[in-house]
PDB file of all heavy atoms in Angstrom:
ATOM      1  N   LEU A   1       4.783  -9.050 -51.350  1.00 98.00           N
ATOM      2  CA  LEU A   1       5.652  -7.892 -51.871  1.00 98.00           C
ATOM      3  C   LEU A   1       6.841  -7.762 -50.811  1.00 98.00           C
ATOM      4  O   LEU A   1       7.967  -7.624 -51.229  1.00 98.00           O
ATOM      5  CB  LEU A   1       4.852  -6.668 -51.860  1.00 98.00           C
ATOM      6  CG  LEU A   1       3.908  -6.420 -53.123  1.00 98.00           C
ATOM      7  CD1 LEU A   1       2.953  -5.245 -52.804  1.00 98.00           C
ATOM      8  CD2 LEU A   1       4.714  -6.290 -54.238  1.00 98.00           C
ATOM      9  N   GLY A   2       6.427  -7.840 -49.593  1.00 98.00           N
ATOM     10  CA  GLY A   2       7.500  -7.884 -48.555  1.00 98.00           C
ATOM     11  C   GLY A   2       8.575  -9.058 -48.701  1.00 98.00           C
ATOM     12  O   GLY A   2       9.733  -8.731 -48.543  1.00 98.00           O
ATOM     13  N   ALA A   3       8.067 -10.160 -49.026  1.00 98.00           N
ATOM     14  CA  ALA A   3       8.927 -11.262 -49.238  1.00 98.00           C
ATOM     15  C   ALA A   3       9.952 -11.077 -50.464  1.00 98.00           C
ATOM     16  O   ALA A   3      11.034 -11.389 -50.385  1.00 98.00           O
ATOM     17  CB  ALA A   3       8.151 -12.627 -49.439  1.00 98.00           C
ATOM     18  N   TYR A   4       9.322 -10.481 -51.442  1.00 98.00           N
ATOM     19  CA  TYR A   4      10.090 -10.343 -52.708  1.00 98.00           C
ATOM     20  C   TYR A   4      11.212  -9.279 -52.404  1.00 98.00           C
ATOM     21  O   TYR A   4      12.409  -9.477 -52.705  1.00 98.00           O
ATOM     22  CB  TYR A   4       9.391  -9.773 -53.878  1.00 98.00           C
ATOM     23  CG  TYR A   4      10.171  -9.221 -55.086  1.00 98.00           C
ATOM     24  CD1 TYR A   4      10.907 -10.074 -55.804  1.00 98.00           C
ATOM     25  CD2 TYR A   4      10.000  -7.919 -55.337  1.00 98.00           C
ATOM     26  CE1 TYR A   4      11.728  -9.666 -56.851  1.00 98.00           C
ATOM     27  CE2 TYR A   4      10.871  -7.477 -56.448  1.00 98.00           C
ATOM     28  CZ  TYR A   4      11.675  -8.250 -57.053  1.00 98.00           C
ATOM     29  OH  TYR A   4      12.451  -7.836 -58.074  1.00 98.00           O
ATOM     30  N   PHE A   5      10.922  -8.125 -51.947  1.00 98.00           N
ATOM     31  CA  PHE A   5      11.800  -6.983 -51.723  1.00 98.00           C
ATOM     32  C   PHE A   5      12.909  -7.399 -50.713  1.00 98.00           C
ATOM     33  O   PHE A   5      14.085  -6.990 -50.743  1.00 98.00           O
ATOM     34  CB  PHE A   5      11.133  -5.672 -51.270  1.00 98.00           C
ATOM     35  CG  PHE A   5      10.463  -5.087 -52.407  1.00 98.00           C
ATOM     36  CD1 PHE A   5       9.082  -4.808 -52.379  1.00 98.00           C
ATOM     37  CD2 PHE A   5      11.107  -4.608 -53.588  1.00 98.00           C
ATOM     38  CE1 PHE A   5       8.428  -4.182 -53.446  1.00 98.00           C
ATOM     39  CE2 PHE A   5      10.462  -4.030 -54.712  1.00 98.00           C
ATOM     40  CZ  PHE A   5       9.229  -3.869 -54.567  1.00 98.00           C
ATOM     41  N   ALA A   6      12.497  -8.332 -49.792  1.00 98.00           N
ATOM     42  CA  ALA A   6      13.457  -8.785 -48.737  1.00 98.00           C
ATOM     43  C   ALA A   6      14.626  -9.520 -49.383  1.00 98.00           C
ATOM     44  O   ALA A   6      15.740  -9.632 -48.879  1.00 98.00           O
ATOM     45  CB  ALA A   6      12.805  -9.563 -47.690  1.00 98.00           C
ATOM     46  N   THR A   7      14.267 -10.178 -50.498  1.00 98.00           N
ATOM     47  CA  THR A   7      15.314 -11.067 -51.201  1.00 98.00           C
ATOM     48  C   THR A   7      16.381 -10.213 -52.109  1.00 98.00           C
ATOM     49  O   THR A   7      17.245 -10.732 -52.518  1.00 98.00           O
ATOM     50  CB  THR A   7      14.626 -12.130 -52.102  1.00 98.00           C
ATOM     51  OG1 THR A   7      13.956 -11.466 -53.192  1.00 98.00           O
ATOM     52  CG2 THR A   7      13.713 -12.938 -51.259  1.00 98.00           C
ATOM     53  N   GLN A   8      15.994  -8.936 -52.233  1.00 98.00           N
ATOM     54  CA  GLN A   8      16.856  -8.148 -53.204  1.00 98.00           C
ATOM     55  C   GLN A   8      18.001  -7.430 -52.401  1.00 98.00           C
ATOM     56  O   GLN A   8      17.725  -7.105 -51.160  1.00 98.00           O
ATOM     57  CB  GLN A   8      15.900  -7.040 -53.877  1.00 98.00           C
ATOM     58  CG  GLN A   8      14.908  -7.631 -54.646  1.00 98.00           C
ATOM     59  CD  GLN A   8      15.234  -8.675 -55.631  1.00 98.00           C
ATOM     60  OE1 GLN A   8      16.041  -8.317 -56.604  1.00 98.00           O
ATOM     61  NE2 GLN A   8      14.892  -9.990 -55.468  1.00 98.00           N
ATOM     62  N   ALA A   9      19.140  -7.342 -52.963  1.00 97.00           N
ATOM     63  CA  ALA A   9      20.266  -6.659 -52.380  1.00 97.00           C
ATOM     64  C   ALA A   9      20.193  -5.078 -52.549  1.00 97.00           C
ATOM     65  O   ALA A   9      20.026  -4.597 -53.602  1.00 97.00           O
ATOM     66  CB  ALA A   9      21.560  -7.141 -53.038  1.00 97.00           C
ATOM     67  N   ILE A  10      20.291  -4.426 -51.393  1.00 97.00           N
ATOM     68  CA  ILE A  10      20.366  -2.905 -51.382  1.00 97.00           C
ATOM     69  C   ILE A  10      21.601  -2.432 -51.956  1.00 97.00           C
ATOM     70  O   ILE A  10      22.660  -2.871 -51.611  1.00 97.00           O
ATOM     71  CB  ILE A  10      19.913  -2.403 -50.080  1.00 97.00           C
ATOM     72  CG1 ILE A  10      19.621  -0.918 -50.182  1.00 97.00           C
ATOM     73  CG2 ILE A  10      21.072  -2.608 -49.057  1.00 97.00           C
ATOM     74  CD1 ILE A  10      18.926  -0.305 -49.033  1.00 97.00           C
ATOM     75  N   ALA A  11      21.536  -1.403 -52.776  1.00 97.00           N
ATOM     76  CA  ALA A  11      22.695  -0.900 -53.304  1.00 97.00           C
ATOM     77  C   ALA A  11      23.445   0.001 -52.344  1.00 97.00           C
ATOM     78  O   ALA A  11      22.734   0.878 -51.655  1.00 97.00           O
ATOM     79  CB  ALA A  11      22.409   0.085 -54.526  1.00 97.00           C
ATOM     80  N   PRO A  12      24.799  -0.192 -52.042  1.00 96.00           N
ATOM     81  CA  PRO A  12      25.625   0.622 -51.076  1.00 96.00           C
ATOM     82  C   PRO A  12      25.551   2.085 -51.473  1.00 96.00           C
ATOM     83  O   PRO A  12      25.531   2.472 -52.554  1.00 96.00           O
ATOM     84  CB  PRO A  12      26.946   0.067 -51.160  1.00 96.00           C
ATOM     85  CG  PRO A  12      26.707  -1.283 -51.830  1.00 96.00           C
ATOM     86  CD  PRO A  12      25.532  -1.150 -52.810  1.00 96.00           C
ATOM     87  N   LYS A  13      25.498   2.998 -50.405  1.00 96.00           N
ATOM     88  CA  LYS A  13      25.516   4.445 -50.716  1.00 96.00           C
ATOM     89  C   LYS A  13      26.484   4.937 -49.644  1.00 96.00           C
ATOM     90  O   LYS A  13      26.784   4.338 -48.661  1.00 96.00           O
ATOM     91  CB  LYS A  13      24.192   5.108 -50.381  1.00 96.00           C
ATOM     92  CG  LYS A  13      23.134   4.493 -51.317  1.00 96.00           C
ATOM     93  CD  LYS A  13      21.796   4.983 -50.969  1.00 96.00           C
ATOM     94  CE  LYS A  13      20.541   4.342 -51.750  1.00 96.00           C
ATOM     95  NZ  LYS A  13      20.435   2.888 -51.410  1.00 96.00           N
ATOM     96  N   GLY A  14      26.972   6.134 -49.937  1.00 96.00           N
ATOM     97  CA  GLY A  14      27.939   6.743 -49.073  1.00 96.00           C
ATOM     98  C   GLY A  14      27.445   7.893 -48.259  1.00 96.00           C
ATOM     99  O   GLY A  14      26.256   8.308 -48.448  1.00 96.00           O
ATOM    100  N   ALA A  15      28.189   8.383 -47.187  1.00 97.00           N
ATOM    101  CA  ALA A  15      27.758   9.376 -46.396  1.00 97.00           C
ATOM    102  C   ALA A  15      28.574  10.623 -46.676  1.00 97.00           C
ATOM    103  O   ALA A  15      29.670  10.656 -47.195  1.00 97.00           O
ATOM    104  CB  ALA A  15      27.967   9.071 -44.870  1.00 97.00           C
ATOM    105  N   ASN A  16      28.019  11.796 -46.369  1.00 96.00           N
ATOM    106  CA  ASN A  16      28.796  13.066 -46.449  1.00 96.00           C
ATOM    107  C   ASN A  16      29.784  13.132 -45.422  1.00 96.00           C
ATOM    108  O   ASN A  16      29.533  12.978 -44.237  1.00 96.00           O
ATOM    109  CB  ASN A  16      27.767  14.218 -46.204  1.00 96.00           C
ATOM    110  CG  ASN A  16      28.454  15.702 -46.165  1.00 96.00           C
ATOM    111  OD1 ASN A  16      29.712  15.651 -46.284  1.00 96.00           O
ATOM    112  ND2 ASN A  16      27.702  16.700 -45.965  1.00 96.00           N
ATOM    113  N   PRO A  17      31.102  13.108 -45.785  1.00 97.00           N
ATOM    114  CA  PRO A  17      32.194  13.027 -44.847  1.00 97.00           C
ATOM    115  C   PRO A  17      32.127  14.172 -43.657  1.00 97.00           C
ATOM    116  O   PRO A  17      32.507  13.886 -42.565  1.00 97.00           O
ATOM    117  CB  PRO A  17      33.487  13.294 -45.704  1.00 97.00           C
ATOM    118  CG  PRO A  17      33.078  12.887 -47.118  1.00 97.00           C
ATOM    119  CD  PRO A  17      31.601  13.361 -47.221  1.00 97.00           C
ATOM    120  N   GLU A  18      31.561  15.236 -44.090  1.00 97.00           N
ATOM    121  CA  GLU A  18      31.429  16.300 -43.140  1.00 97.00           C
ATOM    122  C   GLU A  18      30.442  16.069 -41.908  1.00 97.00           C
ATOM    123  O   GLU A  18      30.345  16.743 -40.919  1.00 97.00           O
ATOM    124  CB  GLU A  18      31.113  17.712 -43.820  1.00 97.00           C
ATOM    125  CG  GLU A  18      32.267  18.084 -44.757  1.00 97.00           C
ATOM    126  CD  GLU A  18      31.789  19.416 -45.423  1.00 97.00           C
ATOM    127  OE1 GLU A  18      30.675  19.900 -45.087  1.00 97.00           O
ATOM    128  OE2 GLU A  18      32.677  19.901 -46.269  1.00 97.00           O
ATOM    129  N   ALA A  19      29.494  15.073 -42.280  1.00 96.00           N
ATOM    130  CA  ALA A  19      28.383  14.765 -41.305  1.00 96.00           C
ATOM    131  C   ALA A  19      28.655  13.614 -40.482  1.00 96.00           C
ATOM    132  O   ALA A  19      27.932  13.272 -39.568  1.00 96.00           O
ATOM    133  CB  ALA A  19      27.145  14.713 -42.121  1.00 96.00           C
ATOM    134  N   VAL A  20      29.677  12.844 -40.813  1.00 97.00           N
ATOM    135  CA  VAL A  20      29.967  11.517 -40.226  1.00 97.00           C
ATOM    136  C   VAL A  20      30.156  11.615 -38.704  1.00 97.00           C
ATOM    137  O   VAL A  20      29.606  10.886 -37.871  1.00 97.00           O
ATOM    138  CB  VAL A  20      31.059  10.742 -40.879  1.00 97.00           C
ATOM    139  CG1 VAL A  20      31.556   9.516 -40.082  1.00 97.00           C
ATOM    140  CG2 VAL A  20      30.685  10.330 -42.248  1.00 97.00           C
ATOM    141  N   GLU A  21      30.946  12.505 -38.391  1.00 98.00           N
ATOM    142  CA  GLU A  21      31.256  12.590 -36.854  1.00 98.00           C
ATOM    143  C   GLU A  21      30.080  12.852 -35.998  1.00 98.00           C
ATOM    144  O   GLU A  21      29.793  12.197 -35.077  1.00 98.00           O
ATOM    145  CB  GLU A  21      32.250  13.700 -36.566  1.00 98.00           C
ATOM    146  CG  GLU A  21      32.725  13.869 -35.067  1.00 98.00           C
ATOM    147  CD  GLU A  21      33.859  14.911 -34.835  1.00 98.00           C
ATOM    148  OE1 GLU A  21      34.249  15.454 -35.947  1.00 98.00           O
ATOM    149  OE2 GLU A  21      34.067  15.206 -33.672  1.00 98.00           O
ATOM    150  N   THR A  22      29.223  13.793 -36.357  1.00 98.00           N
ATOM    151  CA  THR A  22      28.076  14.185 -35.716  1.00 98.00           C
ATOM    152  C   THR A  22      27.146  12.969 -35.770  1.00 98.00           C
ATOM    153  O   THR A  22      26.424  12.561 -34.749  1.00 98.00           O
ATOM    154  CB  THR A  22      27.351  15.438 -36.177  1.00 98.00           C
ATOM    155  OG1 THR A  22      28.315  16.421 -36.058  1.00 98.00           O
ATOM    156  CG2 THR A  22      26.116  15.733 -35.387  1.00 98.00           C
ATOM    157  N   GLY A  23      26.879  12.556 -37.054  1.00 98.00           N
ATOM    158  CA  GLY A  23      25.901  11.505 -37.279  1.00 98.00           C
ATOM    159  C   GLY A  23      26.168  10.143 -36.470  1.00 98.00           C
ATOM    160  O   GLY A  23      25.318   9.557 -35.795  1.00 98.00           O
ATOM    161  N   GLU A  24      27.414   9.779 -36.400  1.00 98.00           N
ATOM    162  CA  GLU A  24      27.936   8.559 -35.795  1.00 98.00           C
ATOM    163  C   GLU A  24      27.772   8.757 -34.254  1.00 98.00           C
ATOM    164  O   GLU A  24      27.339   7.873 -33.494  1.00 98.00           O
ATOM    165  CB  GLU A  24      29.405   8.332 -36.137  1.00 98.00           C
ATOM    166  CG  GLU A  24      29.864   6.917 -35.439  1.00 98.00           C
ATOM    167  CD  GLU A  24      31.287   6.622 -35.894  1.00 98.00           C
ATOM    168  OE1 GLU A  24      32.025   7.525 -36.251  1.00 98.00           O
ATOM    169  OE2 GLU A  24      31.667   5.410 -35.773  1.00 98.00           O
ATOM    170  N   ARG A  25      28.074  10.011 -33.703  1.00 98.00           N
ATOM    171  CA  ARG A  25      27.966  10.190 -32.254  1.00 98.00           C
ATOM    172  C   ARG A  25      26.548   9.999 -31.816  1.00 98.00           C
ATOM    173  O   ARG A  25      26.229   9.348 -30.858  1.00 98.00           O
ATOM    174  CB  ARG A  25      28.465  11.595 -32.081  1.00 98.00           C
ATOM    175  CG  ARG A  25      28.232  12.045 -30.495  1.00 98.00           C
ATOM    176  CD  ARG A  25      28.862  13.320 -30.271  1.00 98.00           C
ATOM    177  NE  ARG A  25      28.396  14.470 -31.142  1.00 98.00           N
ATOM    178  CZ  ARG A  25      27.290  15.101 -31.010  1.00 98.00           C
ATOM    179  NH1 ARG A  25      26.443  14.810 -29.931  1.00 98.00           N
ATOM    180  NH2 ARG A  25      26.973  16.020 -31.820  1.00 98.00           N
ATOM    181  N   ILE A  26      25.654  10.544 -32.571  1.00 98.00           N
ATOM    182  CA  ILE A  26      24.155  10.376 -32.194  1.00 98.00           C
ATOM    183  C   ILE A  26      23.710   8.944 -32.410  1.00 98.00           C
ATOM    184  O   ILE A  26      22.963   8.360 -31.537  1.00 98.00           O
ATOM    185  CB  ILE A  26      23.312  11.373 -32.995  1.00 98.00           C
ATOM    186  CG1 ILE A  26      23.710  12.851 -32.712  1.00 98.00           C
ATOM    187  CG2 ILE A  26      21.813  11.128 -32.621  1.00 98.00           C
ATOM    188  CD1 ILE A  26      22.908  13.884 -33.621  1.00 98.00           C
ATOM    189  N   TYR A  27      24.050   8.348 -33.612  1.00 98.00           N
ATOM    190  CA  TYR A  27      23.545   6.957 -33.806  1.00 98.00           C
ATOM    191  C   TYR A  27      24.104   6.021 -32.800  1.00 98.00           C
ATOM    192  O   TYR A  27      23.269   5.191 -32.279  1.00 98.00           O
ATOM    193  CB  TYR A  27      24.072   6.558 -35.300  1.00 98.00           C
ATOM    194  CG  TYR A  27      23.515   5.238 -35.641  1.00 98.00           C
ATOM    195  CD1 TYR A  27      22.286   5.126 -36.261  1.00 98.00           C
ATOM    196  CD2 TYR A  27      24.217   4.119 -35.305  1.00 98.00           C
ATOM    197  CE1 TYR A  27      21.778   3.942 -36.671  1.00 98.00           C
ATOM    198  CE2 TYR A  27      23.670   2.872 -35.711  1.00 98.00           C
ATOM    199  CZ  TYR A  27      22.493   2.779 -36.343  1.00 98.00           C
ATOM    200  OH  TYR A  27      21.892   1.487 -36.732  1.00 98.00           O
ATOM    201  N   ARG A  28      25.348   6.100 -32.394  1.00 98.00           N
ATOM    202  CA  ARG A  28      25.985   5.103 -31.469  1.00 98.00           C
ATOM    203  C   ARG A  28      25.712   5.536 -29.978  1.00 98.00           C
ATOM    204  O   ARG A  28      25.708   4.645 -29.112  1.00 98.00           O
ATOM    205  CB  ARG A  28      27.401   4.933 -31.820  1.00 98.00           C
ATOM    206  CG  ARG A  28      27.593   4.421 -33.177  1.00 98.00           C
ATOM    207  CD  ARG A  28      28.972   3.952 -33.474  1.00 98.00           C
ATOM    208  NE  ARG A  28      29.139   3.389 -34.894  1.00 98.00           N
ATOM    209  CZ  ARG A  28      28.695   2.013 -35.139  1.00 98.00           C
ATOM    210  NH1 ARG A  28      28.381   1.312 -34.168  1.00 98.00           N
ATOM    211  NH2 ARG A  28      28.861   1.665 -36.285  1.00 98.00           N
ATOM    212  N   GLY A  29      25.673   6.793 -29.637  1.00 98.00           N
ATOM    213  CA  GLY A  29      25.685   7.190 -28.325  1.00 98.00           C
ATOM    214  C   GLY A  29      24.408   8.079 -27.853  1.00 98.00           C
ATOM    215  O   GLY A  29      24.170   8.205 -26.604  1.00 98.00           O
ATOM    216  N   GLY A  30      23.683   8.391 -28.798  1.00 98.00           N
ATOM    217  CA  GLY A  30      22.539   9.276 -28.486  1.00 98.00           C
ATOM    218  C   GLY A  30      23.062  10.599 -27.981  1.00 98.00           C
ATOM    219  O   GLY A  30      24.327  10.943 -28.155  1.00 98.00           O
ATOM    220  N   ILE A  31      22.199  11.375 -27.304  1.00 98.00           N
ATOM    221  CA  ILE A  31      22.673  12.633 -26.734  1.00 98.00           C
ATOM    222  C   ILE A  31      22.018  12.626 -25.271  1.00 98.00           C
ATOM    223  O   ILE A  31      20.893  13.044 -25.029  1.00 98.00           O
ATOM    224  CB  ILE A  31      22.107  13.871 -27.453  1.00 98.00           C
ATOM    225  CG1 ILE A  31      22.538  13.802 -28.969  1.00 98.00           C
ATOM    226  CG2 ILE A  31      22.527  15.240 -26.794  1.00 98.00           C
ATOM    227  CD1 ILE A  31      21.943  14.973 -29.792  1.00 98.00           C
ATOM    228  N   PRO A  32      22.732  11.945 -24.373  1.00 97.00           N
ATOM    229  CA  PRO A  32      22.031  11.724 -22.994  1.00 97.00           C
ATOM    230  C   PRO A  32      21.694  12.931 -22.275  1.00 97.00           C
ATOM    231  O   PRO A  32      20.747  12.864 -21.619  1.00 97.00           O
ATOM    232  CB  PRO A  32      23.376  11.093 -22.270  1.00 97.00           C
ATOM    233  CG  PRO A  32      24.165  10.440 -23.307  1.00 97.00           C
ATOM    234  CD  PRO A  32      24.047  11.375 -24.411  1.00 97.00           C
ATOM    235  N   GLU A  33      22.432  14.044 -22.389  1.00 98.00           N
ATOM    236  CA  GLU A  33      22.041  15.229 -21.685  1.00 98.00           C
ATOM    237  C   GLU A  33      20.693  15.752 -22.213  1.00 98.00           C
ATOM    238  O   GLU A  33      20.128  16.652 -21.521  1.00 98.00           O
ATOM    239  CB  GLU A  33      23.163  16.247 -21.652  1.00 98.00           C
ATOM    240  CG  GLU A  33      23.484  16.796 -23.139  1.00 98.00           C
ATOM    241  CD  GLU A  33      24.392  15.982 -23.911  1.00 98.00           C
ATOM    242  OE1 GLU A  33      24.619  14.897 -23.600  1.00 98.00           O
ATOM    243  OE2 GLU A  33      25.028  16.485 -24.872  1.00 98.00           O
ATOM    244  N   ARG A  34      20.269  15.297 -23.325  1.00 97.00           N
ATOM    245  CA  ARG A  34      18.912  15.813 -23.874  1.00 97.00           C
ATOM    246  C   ARG A  34      17.937  14.575 -23.932  1.00 97.00           C
ATOM    247  O   ARG A  34      16.898  14.759 -24.600  1.00 97.00           O
ATOM    248  CB  ARG A  34      19.116  16.503 -25.178  1.00 97.00           C
ATOM    249  CG  ARG A  34      19.678  17.883 -25.013  1.00 97.00           C
ATOM    250  CD  ARG A  34      20.141  18.517 -26.281  1.00 97.00           C
ATOM    251  NE  ARG A  34      19.295  18.274 -27.456  1.00 97.00           N
ATOM    252  CZ  ARG A  34      19.793  18.233 -28.738  1.00 97.00           C
ATOM    253  NH1 ARG A  34      21.039  18.381 -28.992  1.00 97.00           N
ATOM    254  NH2 ARG A  34      18.974  18.045 -29.746  1.00 97.00           N
ATOM    255  N   ASN A  35      18.229  13.530 -23.283  1.00 96.00           N
ATOM    256  CA  ASN A  35      17.342  12.312 -23.242  1.00 96.00           C
ATOM    257  C   ASN A  35      17.050  11.775 -24.670  1.00 96.00           C
ATOM    258  O   ASN A  35      16.027  11.237 -24.942  1.00 96.00           O
ATOM    259  CB  ASN A  35      16.074  12.643 -22.581  1.00 96.00           C
ATOM    260  CG  ASN A  35      16.332  13.096 -21.081  1.00 96.00           C
ATOM    261  OD1 ASN A  35      17.063  12.349 -20.442  1.00 96.00           O
ATOM    262  ND2 ASN A  35      15.581  13.981 -20.588  1.00 96.00           N
ATOM    263  N   ILE A  36      18.188  11.925 -25.566  1.00 97.00           N
ATOM    264  CA  ILE A  36      17.943  11.343 -26.832  1.00 97.00           C
ATOM    265  C   ILE A  36      18.540  10.063 -26.946  1.00 97.00           C
ATOM    266  O   ILE A  36      19.839   9.836 -26.756  1.00 97.00           O
ATOM    267  CB  ILE A  36      18.523  12.330 -27.896  1.00 97.00           C
ATOM    268  CG1 ILE A  36      17.802  13.522 -27.996  1.00 97.00           C
ATOM    269  CG2 ILE A  36      18.396  11.567 -29.283  1.00 97.00           C
ATOM    270  CD1 ILE A  36      18.327  14.570 -28.905  1.00 97.00           C
ATOM    271  N   ALA A  37      17.828   8.884 -27.205  1.00 96.00           N
ATOM    272  CA  ALA A  37      18.416   7.555 -27.159  1.00 96.00           C
ATOM    273  C   ALA A  37      19.209   7.284 -28.450  1.00 96.00           C
ATOM    274  O   ALA A  37      19.036   7.913 -29.497  1.00 96.00           O
ATOM    275  CB  ALA A  37      17.199   6.518 -27.101  1.00 96.00           C
TER     276      ALA A  37
END
């Protein structure tokens, strides 16, 4: 099952534009002052 699903292409999805700034900041830089990687 793992092998089969790995061969399938995932459908692209979008992000909420209002959440991108916060989401990107945490995803790429974490929150160092709160020890969030």
Side-chain angles (χ1 to χ4, degrees):
L1 287 167
Y4 168 64
F5 286 120
T7 66
Q8 304 304 296
I10 192 166
K13 303 174 186 68
N16 176 358
E18 296 178 1
V20 169
E21 183 178 351
T22 299
E24 183 175 23
R25 174 174 53 82
I26 298 171
Y27 186 89
R28 297 189 177 280
I31 308 178
E33 63 272 21
R34 285 166 42 207
N35 296 316
I36 296 175

